[in-house]
């Protein structure tokens, strides 16, 4: 990473901790590598992203339904999926500094701090390392069975597919979507939340007739790119990268990464995969339950093919923060720190600020009314300019000021975060005005 990139990351990490977006888990014990906690603003940002994904992928479609499956699945699941056998990275250890690296990421390793006369690591031969986090189920040690925390959310979608399809009266083509936690014992967690050991995924598995797999892969690629532009990613910081044949995972027929330009380079935030019939075939084999479908008209009995879209919630939140964050020079020579988040995703949608303490009562009433429908922050402390800056830094798109005129004309001043322009709006009309702004598509 360039020095400038590293400085930008460092500043963002500090902003995130200071303002309560994201900070190390178990911080008072010194943190735990690869685990993060989302504070009051972070959880709102994350929830807004998940809700918007659910809206576009599930609610607005007739052919997609939702699922919330358990994190621990029957251990046979991971044998069938291939994870027990294949899900690993080759790793190497440095005998001198005891650090562990992924064999394919050695070029990014820092110099060895422990050797005399050289900064090169003293590396072991590569060894395979399974990335699944293990646990045990059952009270007594002897009788306990080994189980794993899921390394991806999709496998339960495959094992539940028959039940869900029948319950939801769906026919091919149709999809099942899920948002939830996944766990990977990453060898080298780094770049803030980008590579963690506990993270969230928003996944869609779309089941299609084999003859239509190619077409649906393209449809979902386009849908997903539209989504990323809708949440505000600049075109210049978003690209797709098709996988070369030798890069494809064991189950994959075609794959494409949606990548964002992080300060540490272009990296994946979402994977779009054509998984073929691998998963359904393997689960049919391992469970003995037929997961094929029959076309009612043609009577054809076949295993559907799967097109998958898999977005990392944490990586996308990190990308959203980096994409939105600006240290903006102002005409008066000052600089303001501002997050240009899409109003739909902003943790606080509207801040209500009485111009003077004397006006706290009517302003408080307005805030309370708005709270029924919006994420509201009420702030009466400090001068108005400083209050605006505090909201800019956390990405609040609109600040509403109740002033002395509001008492007589029933109007408030609404200040736009990005343009800093102000307009007078009737307090009564505010909810409708805000809804329109939140729904706006870029
Ligand atoms: P990478 O090659 O970066 O390890 P991957 O190709 O293994 O990622 P997938 O298995 O396709 O990732 O998972 C889908 C999405 O889940 C990724 O696009 C990413 O956003 C997210 N994801 C995967 N691993 C992690 C992780 N360790 N920390 C945070 N998010 C992750």
């Amino acid at each position: 990473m360039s020095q400038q990139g590293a400085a930008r990351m460092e500043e963002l990490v500090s902003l995130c901790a200071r303002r309560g977006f994201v900070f190390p888990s178990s911080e008072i014990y010194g943190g735990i590598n690869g685990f993060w906690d989302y504070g009051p603003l972070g959880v709102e940002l994350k929830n807004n992203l998940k809700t918007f994904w659910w809206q576009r992928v599930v609610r607005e479609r007739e052919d997609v339904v939702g699922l919330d499956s358990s994190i621990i699945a029957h251990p046979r699941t991971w044998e069938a999926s291939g994870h027990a056998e294949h899900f690993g990275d080759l790793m190497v250890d440095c005998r001198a500094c005891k650090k562990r690296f992924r064999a394919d990421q050695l070029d990014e390793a820092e110099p060895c701090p422990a050797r005399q006369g050289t900064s090169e690591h003293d590396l072991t031969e590569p060894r395979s390392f399974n990335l699944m986090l293990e646990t045990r189920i059952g009270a007594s040690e002897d009788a306990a069975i080994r189980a794993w925390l899921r390394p991806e959310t999709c496998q339960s979608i495959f094992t539940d597919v028959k039940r869900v399809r029948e319950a939801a009266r769906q026919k091919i083509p149709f999809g099942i979507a899920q948002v939830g936690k996944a766990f990977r014992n990453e060898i080298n967690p780094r770049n803030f939340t980008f590579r963690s050991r506990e993270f969230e995924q928003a996944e869609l598995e779309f089941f299609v007739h084999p003859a239509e797999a190619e077409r649906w892969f393209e449809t979902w690629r386009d849908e997903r790119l539209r989504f990323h532009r809708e949440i505000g990613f600049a075109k210049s910081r978003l690209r797709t990268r098709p996988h070369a044949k030798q890069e494809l995972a064991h189950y994959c027929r075609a794959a494409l990464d949606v990548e964002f330009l992080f300060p540490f380079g272009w990296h994946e935030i979402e994977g779009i995969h054509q998984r073929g019939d691998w998963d359904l075939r393997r689960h049919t084999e391992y469970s003995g339950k037929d997961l094929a479908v029959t076309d009612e008209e043609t009577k054809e009995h076949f295993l559907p093919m799967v097109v998958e879209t898999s977005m990392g919630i944490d990586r996308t939140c990190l990308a959203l923060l980096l994409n939105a964050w600006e240290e903006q020079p102002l005409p008066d020579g000052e600089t303001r720190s501002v997050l240009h988040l899409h109003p739909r995703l902003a943790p606080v949608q509207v801040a209500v600020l009485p111009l003077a303490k004397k006006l706290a009562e009517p302003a408080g009433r307005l805030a309370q009314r708005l709270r029924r429908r919006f994420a509201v922050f009420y702030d009466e402390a400090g001068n108005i300019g400083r209050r605006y800056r505090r909201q800019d830094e956390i990405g609040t798109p609109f600040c509403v000021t109740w002033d002395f005129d509001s008492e007589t004309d029933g109007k408030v001043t609404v200040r736009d975060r990005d343009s800093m322009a102000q307009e007078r709006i009737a307090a009564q009309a505010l909810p409708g005005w805000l809804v329109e702004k939140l729904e706006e598509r870029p």
Side-chain angles (χ1 to χ4, degrees):
M1 194 177 350
S2 69
Q3 232 170 12
Q4 203 186 1
R8 193 165 161 78
M9 279 307 290
E10 209 168 290
E11 278 175 54
L12 183 83
V13 170
S14 136
L15 183 146
C16 281
R18 186 164 35 84
R19 299 307 309 265
F21 278 94
V22 192
F23 40 85
S25 172
S26 319
E27 209 174 2
I28 61 166
Y29 291 106
I32 168 164
N33 198 7
F35 298 90
W36 298 94
D37 291 348
Y38 286 74
L41 297 177
V43 64
E44 294 287 343
L45 171 65
K46 209 174 175 193
N47 281 344
N48 290 343
L49 177 64
K50 291 191 273 188
T51 305
F52 186 50
W53 184 86
W54 197 261
Q55 175 68 23
R56 286 284 183 268
V57 176
V58 185
R59 290 258 177 101
E60 289 179 10
R61 300 187 65 105
E62 273 185 278
D63 55 0
V64 178
V65 293
L67 177 73
D68 182 19
S69 70
S70 64
I71 283 173
I72 294 179
H74 193 290
R76 289 277 281 168
T77 308
W78 309 111
E79 290 169 32
S81 69
H83 284 83
E85 193 183 342
H86 292 296
F87 190 60
D89 286 322
L90 286 178
M91 51 137 215
V92 291
D93 291 302
C94 174
R95 295 183 189 92
C97 70
K98 309 291 176 211
K99 282 209 180 106
R100 177 165 286 177
F101 308 98
R102 253 167 72 166
D104 62 344
Q105 289 175 350
L106 277 173
D107 50 342
E108 295 168 33
E110 304 278 323
C112 178
R115 289 187 75 187
Q116 306 281 322
T118 172
S119 60
E120 274 187 31
H121 292 280
D122 177 15
L123 297 172
T124 61
E125 285 301 304
R127 278 174 291 169
S128 162
F129 180 76
N130 195 296
L131 295 185
M132 283 203 293
L133 274 163
E134 202 179 302
T135 186
R136 294 190 156 262
I137 309 172
S140 88
E141 272 293 308
D142 315 335
I145 61 164
R146 252 171 109 201
W148 288 276
L149 305 187
R150 64 185 180 198
E152 57 186 23
T153 61
C154 61
Q155 289 304 324
S156 295
I157 295 183
F158 301 128
T159 55
D160 287 349
V161 65
K162 193 165 184 294
R163 163 78 68 194
V164 174
R165 180 171 51 77
E166 287 171 3
R169 299 166 60 84
Q170 287 283 348
K171 289 200 190 100
I172 302 294
F174 89 105
I176 304 177
Q178 161 152 252
V179 181
K181 292 265 184 174
F183 302 81
R184 295 183 189 178
N185 201 3
E186 295 281 358
I187 293 164
N188 199 1
R190 68 210 151 115
N191 290 330
F192 197 16
T193 56
F194 178 84
R195 189 171 299 288
S196 335
R197 291 182 165 137
E198 173 176 340
F199 54 97
E200 265 185 292
Q201 291 183 316
E203 294 199 299
L204 165 75
E205 307 303 316
F206 201 77
F207 301 91
V208 303
H209 187 278
E212 296 201 312
E214 182 78 28
R215 182 169 78 75
W216 278 107
F217 181 77
E218 284 162 17
T219 302
W220 278 109
R221 176 198 62 201
D222 297 348
E223 276 294 315
R224 296 305 304 143
L225 284 175
R226 192 169 315 128
F227 178 91
H228 287 293
R229 284 203 281 274
E230 263 192 286
I231 57 178
F233 283 129
K235 255 190 169 161
S236 58
R237 298 190 73 171
L238 203 65
R239 73 175 189 195
T240 54
R241 190 183 67 84
H243 282 206
K245 272 249 151 31
Q246 65 275 15
E247 245 186 295
L248 293 177
H250 60 272
Y251 52 78
C252 240
R253 301 208 170 183
L256 183 115
D257 288 346
V258 179
E259 294 187 334
F260 176 78
L261 183 57
F262 288 91
F264 43 92
W266 285 99
H267 287 282
E268 168 182 348
I269 54 173
E270 170 158 351
I272 301 171
H273 311 123
Q274 211 270 69
R275 295 179 76 115
D277 61 6
W278 159 267
D279 305 274
L280 295 188
R281 191 155 43 75
R282 294 276 289 197
H283 287 301
T284 297
E285 203 181 296
Y286 277 67
S287 68
K289 304 281 185 309
D290 182 12
L291 298 179
V293 295
T294 305
D295 186 308
E296 278 166 22
E297 277 165 32
T298 63
K299 303 295 172 218
E300 183 190 1
H301 191 66
F302 63 95
L303 272 177
M305 295 244 183
V306 173
V307 173
E308 169 184 80
T309 71
S310 176
M311 175 175 84
I313 297 291
D314 311 79
R315 275 191 197 176
T316 306
C317 281
L318 176 58
L320 282 168
L321 289 168
L322 286 161
N323 180 67
W325 180 42
E326 186 188 10
E327 289 293 322
Q328 187 183 23
L330 298 172
D332 62 7
E334 301 241 330
T335 304
R336 72 165 180 159
S337 179
V338 53
L339 283 180
H340 300 284
L341 288 170
H342 189 285
R344 188 197 293 282
L345 299 176
V348 176
Q349 294 165 327
V350 52
V352 177
L353 321 169
L355 190 63
K357 278 245 168 87
K358 257 193 231 159
L359 300 165
E361 209 190 298
R365 272 202 307 273
L366 173 67
Q368 201 51 31
R369 260 204 325 275
L370 292 173
R371 273 197 186 105
R372 289 189 208 130
R373 295 177 68 183
F374 307 100
V376 177
F377 187 80
Y378 175 79
D379 185 6
E380 55 181 42
N383 79 42
I384 194 78
R386 202 161 323 129
R387 281 184 274 169
Y388 283 155
R389 294 286 177 276
R390 280 205 291 264
Q391 295 306 313
D392 288 343
E393 195 181 40
I394 62 168
T396 307
F398 308 109
C399 286
V400 169
T401 308
W402 186 279
D403 57 26
F404 292 99
D405 290 339
S406 310
E407 297 290 286
T408 46
D409 68 4
K411 290 185 174 172
V412 288
T413 301
V414 181
R415 180 230 188 219
D416 181 278
R417 173 197 65 200
D418 297 336
S419 65
M420 295 190 278
Q422 306 194 356
E423 58 180 307
R424 296 283 290 172
I425 292 180
Q428 288 290 351
L430 205 52
W433 185 90
L434 281 169
V435 166
E436 237 171 73
K437 291 285 179 187
L438 297 180
E439 301 267 301
E440 223 163 62
R441 297 190 183 213

